[in-house]
């Protein structure tokens, strides 16, 4: 034990300074004041233990990269860069191209952002600038609750509630009035790209709005008061005083939402239709990178097939990492220190 | 812009134009509408879960294993237990490593290497869950030769670690340095100070982080698809495939049978009740003050 030389009492409570008389107790006086290096060994062991936990985190990312790279080598050697631009996905003849999945992932995520960002910013503006104080806490909590709902439950709800609604009402309506754009034509199945985009939007809103709230709160109060003192209305104050200063951070939140949307698996898999096709219409079924892994990984029979799926996973990993880093940097640029001078 | 009133020599504030006032009102309405639009699905999801799920939860559901298609009855008892089992395995691996790494970052990590670990933890936090599943498959399932509860646990542990690490670090940093110095002043060694004083002071905050991580992985399905895999029967072996609540909900939801759809709703209700309960517990704990020992 490290403390024996000192004769210190067992410290069990969080208040070590509570009994100063302990120091001057007779044992402490008579004991030689700590032998050199008495606690060096246990300290070293402790340092080593927590360090190894830290290295573990580092190692995990290493293991992830190693696993993905080695397991996808087969497909990489067979198809090279073209893998991502070929649209053939034929497990029987071992021809693999990931383009339909890349396309599906991009379209569903972008659709989700288009729907989610205005809503999320609206919610954040309402919570930080407009809503009465008593409502603030519970409203913030409720929107964050959306983030705590598991993906399968979103999927379940989407299949049995949202998709029938889309099929019966929303899609015929869109086809009728916006059909000329070419985005809303064909049979309204309910299931398809549009459904995936909407469910993703619902899932992304809490992320974007909580980051937006955070960066808006980081804008100094004087900024608001200054703009109001110039005679601005509340909206003008929010636009020029708050949103403009927080825009880099809001962009960061949006990109973070994108990261979540790109990697989201279950809810999308349940409603997107899972067909590797590329169609202009949003009513048509599609497929995403995450869903193809979820659906086919445990059934992949040949090595090349498995390897192609892992390569899709590797691509997904790299893209989300880049997107997340970008988002972090943007959020930091606002929440760390003062708002930038260039925006003033 | 205020006009200079020429007659009186005083400032006369120009009335806010109709356009500006209208815009202001419109935006206020739009923001309110956005809130309603966002809360609508939330309300709808909970309403449907309760409406569809509550009727299907009965004693059999909570105590029996699934019945084959066509037979009425049966339940998800093995899936509930399986979820608990996989989560327990994940916690046993993830919590100590996560807290340990958090301690390292807070107490020893004020340097370049600490920054690298901090950054890596953030990266790990953003890895899509399906990719974590692939990795756990590669490490455990290929190693063992078959799907297993252990593989599911490893996948969830990987997802828990970064959250726990970062929140533990933040909570430990909230402990005032004076408390540490007081302990050092008494001759308490560094490891003892960290464990018995600093960590102890930050306990409730660290627990909050653990619960958050737990709630986050409790409903995860994607990383379990090809690790824990699912099972129609009871299983208590680490190296055998096991059922999990979220997996069962998924399988039942995409099946074509009405009876299974009913059970999927019930399973989802149980899942969400467990998660919301733990998140609320976290909220209450956090509301009580993170640092009851300090100051």
């Amino acid at each position: 034990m490290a403390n024996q030389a000192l004769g210190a009492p067992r410290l069990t409570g969080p208040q070590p300074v509570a009994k100063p008389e302990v120091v001057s107790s007779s044992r402490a006086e008579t004991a030689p004041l700590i032998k050199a290096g008495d606690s060096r060994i246990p300290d070293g062991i402790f340092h080593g233990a927590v360090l190894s936990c830290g290295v573990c985190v580092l190692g995990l990312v290493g293991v992830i990269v190693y696993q993905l790279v080695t397991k996808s080598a087969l497909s990489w050697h067979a198809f090279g860069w073209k893998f991502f631009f070929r649209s053939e996905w034929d497990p029987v003849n071992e021809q693999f191209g990931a383009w339909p999945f890349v396309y599906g992932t991009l379209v569903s995520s972008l659709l989700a952002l288009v729907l989610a960002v205005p809503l999320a910013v609206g919610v954040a503006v309402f919570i930080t600038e407009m809503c009465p104080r008593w409502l603030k806490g519970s409203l913030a909590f409720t929107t964050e609750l959306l983030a705590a709902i598991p993906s399968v439950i979103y999927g379940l709800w989407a299949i049995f509630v949202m998709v029938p609604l889309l099929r019966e009402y929303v899609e015929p309506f869109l086809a009728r009035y916006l059909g000329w754009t070419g985005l809303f034509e064909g049979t309204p199945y309910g299931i398809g790209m549009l459904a995936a985009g909407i469910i993703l939007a619902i899932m992304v809103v809490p992320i974007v709005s909580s980051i937006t709230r955070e960066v808006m709160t980081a804008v100094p109060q004087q900024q608001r008061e200054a703009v109001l003192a110039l005679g601005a209305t509340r909206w003008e104050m929010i636009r020029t005083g708050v949103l403009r200063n927080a825009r880099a951070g809001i962009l960061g939140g949006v990109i973070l939402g994108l990261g979540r949307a790109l990697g989201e698996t279950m809810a999308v898999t349940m409603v997107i239709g899972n067909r590797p096709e590329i169609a202009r219409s949003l009513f048509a079924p599609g497929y995403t990178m995450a869903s193809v892994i979820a659906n086919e990984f445990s059934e992949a029979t040949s090595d090349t097939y498995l390897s192609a799926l892992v390569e899709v996973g590797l691509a997904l990993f790299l893209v989300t990492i880049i997107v997340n880093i970008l988002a972090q940097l943007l959020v930091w640029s606002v929440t760390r220190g003062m708002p930038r001078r260039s925006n003033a | 812009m205020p006009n200079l009133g020429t007659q009186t020599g005083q400032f006369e504030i120009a009335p806010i134009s109709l356009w500006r006032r209208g815009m202001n009102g419109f935006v206020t309405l739009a923001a309110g509408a956005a809130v309603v639009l966002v809360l609508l699905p939330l309300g709808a999801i909970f309403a449907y879960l309760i409406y569809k799920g509550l009727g299907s939860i009965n004693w059999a559901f909570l105590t029996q294993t699934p019945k084959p298609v066509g037979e009425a009855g049966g339940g998800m008892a093995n899936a509930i237990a399986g979820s608990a089992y996989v989560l327990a395995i994940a916690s046993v691996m993830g919590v100590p490593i996560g807290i340990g790494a958090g301690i390292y970052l807070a107490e020893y990590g004020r340097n370049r290497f600490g920054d690298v670990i901090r950054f890596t933890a953030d990266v790990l936090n953003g890895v899509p869950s399906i990719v974590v599943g692939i990795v756990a498959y590669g490490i455990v399932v290929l190693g063992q030769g078959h799907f297993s509860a252990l593989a599911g646990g490893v996948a969830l542990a990987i997802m828990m670690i970064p959250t726990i690490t970062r929140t533990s670090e933040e909570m430990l940093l909230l402990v005032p340095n004076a408390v540490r110095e007081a302990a050092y002043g008494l001759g308490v060694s560094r490891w003892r100070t960290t464990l018995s004083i600093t960590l102890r002071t930050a306990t409730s905050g660290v627990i909050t982080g653990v619960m958050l991580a737990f709630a986050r992985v409790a409903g995860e399905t994607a990383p379990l698809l090809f690790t824990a895999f699912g099972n129609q029967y009871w299983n208590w072996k680490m190296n055998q495939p096991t059922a999990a609540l979220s997996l069962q909900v998924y399988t039942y939801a995409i099946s074509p049978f009405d009876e299974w759809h009913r059970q999927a709703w019930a399973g989802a209700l149980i899942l969400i009740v467990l998660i919301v309960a733990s998140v609320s517990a976290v909220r209450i704990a956090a509301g009580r003050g993170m640092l009851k020992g300090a100051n």
Side-chain angles (χ1 to χ4, degrees):
Chain A
M1 270 303 207
N3 306 311
Q4 274 169 358
L6 246 187
R10 288 181 64 83
L11 291 160
T12 48
Q15 299 100 340
V17 282
K19 299 189 186 75
E21 67 271 22
V22 165
V23 183
S24 59
S25 77
S26 57
R27 275 192 67 194
E29 273 171 359
T30 51
L33 193 72
I34 228 159
K35 278 181 263 167
D38 189 34
S39 67
R40 200 179 294 158
I41 293 168
D43 266 349
I45 293 171
F46 181 70
H47 187 177
V50 292
L51 176 66
S52 60
C53 289
V55 172
C56 227
V57 174
L58 213 60
L60 272 177
V61 173
V63 167
I64 291 176
V65 173
Y66 174 78
Q67 285 282 343
L68 292 176
V69 169
T70 53
K71 296 259 153 49
S72 65
L74 207 56
S75 151
W76 176 251
H77 288 307
F79 308 111
W81 281 111
K82 275 193 301 187
F83 179 76
F84 296 105
F85 304 104
R86 285 155 51 109
S87 37
E88 211 177 345
W89 186 262
D90 184 359
V92 180
N93 297 317
E94 305 227 317
Q95 289 303 313
F96 300 103
W99 177 240
F101 314 123
V102 175
Y103 174 84
T105 303
L106 289 179
V107 170
S108 59
S109 302
L110 291 179
L111 184 61
L113 284 187
V114 167
L115 296 172
V117 169
L119 285 180
V121 174
V123 169
V125 165
F126 187 84
I127 291 178
T128 47
E129 309 289 336
M130 294 173 179
C131 97
R133 196 164 290 248
W134 55 269
L135 198 60
K136 210 174 242 185
S138 51
L139 212 54
F141 174 61
T142 321
T143 48
E144 265 159 41
L145 207 57
L146 270 171
I149 299 177
S151 175
V152 240
I153 293 186
Y154 277 110
L156 179 72
W157 180 78
I159 288 184
F160 294 112
V161 183
M162 197 186 80
V163 165
L165 275 179
L166 283 178
R167 187 171 51 223
E168 301 296 327
Y169 303 104
V170 182
E171 291 191 348
F173 177 84
L174 288 173
R176 188 143 165 220
Y177 294 101
L178 293 169
W180 51 269
T181 54
L183 292 175
F184 306 102
E185 55 183 24
T187 324
Y189 298 110
I191 276 180
M193 202 63 101
L194 185 66
I198 293 176
I199 199 73
L200 274 178
I202 297 175
M203 302 177 76
V204 159
V205 162
I207 297 170
V208 180
S209 86
S210 77
I211 302 277
T212 307
R213 224 148 34 91
E214 196 179 308
V215 292
M216 283 175 72
T217 318
V219 173
Q221 198 62 34
Q222 292 98 310
Q223 195 92 267
R224 296 185 175 83
E225 285 161 11
V227 181
L228 283 177
L230 289 175
T233 63
R234 184 161 63 178
W235 162 239
E236 288 160 346
M237 178 274 283
I238 293 168
R239 188 164 55 87
T240 57
V242 181
L243 291 181
R244 190 166 295 177
N245 281 305
R247 64 190 165 186
I250 295 174
L251 187 63
V254 172
I255 296 179
L256 216 55
L258 178 67
R260 166 94 193 254
L262 291 173
E264 184 47 58
T265 315
M266 300 318 295
V268 176
T269 308
M270 289 161 94
V271 297
I272 202 171
N274 297 331
R275 227 184 292 159
E277 287 168 5
I278 293 175
R280 183 164 171 206
S281 171
L282 294 176
F283 293 174
Y287 221 152
T288 69
M289 297 163 84
S291 358
V292 72
I293 302 173
N295 276 326
E296 302 185 7
F297 197 84
S298 50
E299 289 156 13
T301 39
S302 76
D303 287 343
T304 324
Y305 193 3
L306 201 65
S307 172
L309 287 170
V310 177
E311 190 171 348
V312 172
L314 176 64
L316 195 58
F317 172 77
L318 293 178
V319 170
T320 42
I321 295 304
I322 293 169
V323 162
N324 278 318
I325 291 172
L326 200 64
Q328 288 287 357
L329 293 178
L330 283 167
V331 174
W332 279 346
S333 74
V334 175
T335 49
R336 266 196 186 161
M338 303 309 285
R340 306 248 210 83
R341 282 145 312 195
S342 56
N343 295 334
Chain B
M1 216 174 106
N3 293 328
L4 202 59
T6 41
Q7 296 99 324
T8 57
Q10 283 183 328
F11 283 109
E12 212 174 80
I13 295 175
I16 295 175
S17 73
L18 198 64
W19 163 250
R20 291 172 61 203
R21 222 174 329 157
M23 195 63 195
N24 188 37
F26 170 75
V27 170
T28 310
L29 267 180
V35 173
V36 173
L37 221 57
V38 166
L39 294 185
L40 213 60
L42 183 72
I45 288 173
F46 276 97
Y48 267 92
L49 277 176
I50 292 167
Y51 163 63
K52 296 242 183 177
L54 213 53
S56 308
I57 296 179
N58 49 33
W59 188 242
F61 183 83
L62 295 172
T63 52
Q64 294 182 359
T65 55
K67 290 253 173 73
V69 181
E71 278 184 52
M76 288 196 183
N78 61 333
I80 297 171
S83 268
Y85 189 41
V86 173
L87 282 168
I89 296 173
S91 304
V92 165
M93 287 185 286
V95 173
I97 295 180
I99 293 181
I103 291 176
Y104 176 78
L105 289 181
E107 305 290 326
Y108 301 93
R110 309 276 104 203
N111 50 31
R112 184 62 66 82
F113 187 61
D115 285 340
V116 171
I117 291 181
R118 225 164 268 130
F119 177 76
T120 334
D122 286 341
V123 166
L124 201 54
N125 217 350
V127 176
S129 55
I130 189 90
V131 174
V132 175
I134 296 182
V135 173
Y137 176 88
I139 305 172
V140 187
V141 177
L142 286 185
Q144 284 186 317
H146 46 79
F147 301 110
S148 67
L150 180 67
V154 167
L156 295 189
I158 295 177
M159 302 192 63
M160 282 175 97
I161 287 173
T163 318
I164 297 179
T165 299
R166 297 294 269 138
T167 41
S168 304
E169 185 204 355
E170 268 171 43
M171 293 307 144
L172 289 169
L173 285 178
L174 283 181
V175 177
N177 251 335
V179 174
R180 293 188 184 88
E181 281 158 9
Y184 295 148
L186 287 173
V188 181
S189 56
R190 193 164 180 186
W191 69 276
R192 196 67 196 270
T193 308
T194 308
L195 286 185
S196 310
I197 312 292
T198 323
L199 191 59
R200 191 133 180 158
T201 312
T203 304
S204 66
V206 171
I207 289 175
T208 304
V210 171
M211 293 300 289
L212 276 179
F214 187 84
R216 186 183 157 211
V217 300
E220 275 296 346
T221 318
L224 298 181
L225 284 171
F226 31 84
T227 52
F229 197 67
N231 193 335
Q232 293 292 82
Y233 308 101
W234 289 97
N235 168 53
W236 294 110
K237 293 206 184 84
M238 282 264 263
N239 59 358
Q240 289 298 321
T242 185
L245 202 47
S246 52
L247 275 180
Q248 201 80 348
V249 170
Y250 173 63
T251 323
Y252 278 12
I254 59 170
S255 76
F257 314 110
D258 282 344
E259 169 68 13
W260 280 15
H261 294 166
R262 208 175 52 72
Q263 296 211 3
W265 282 105
L269 179 62
I270 290 182
L271 187 60
I272 199 101
V273 164
L274 293 176
I275 290 170
V276 171
S278 53
V279 172
S280 312
V282 163
R283 270 270 145 163
I284 292 164
R288 290 258 173 86
M290 299 285 181
L291 297 168
K292 40 183 181 180
N295 303 322

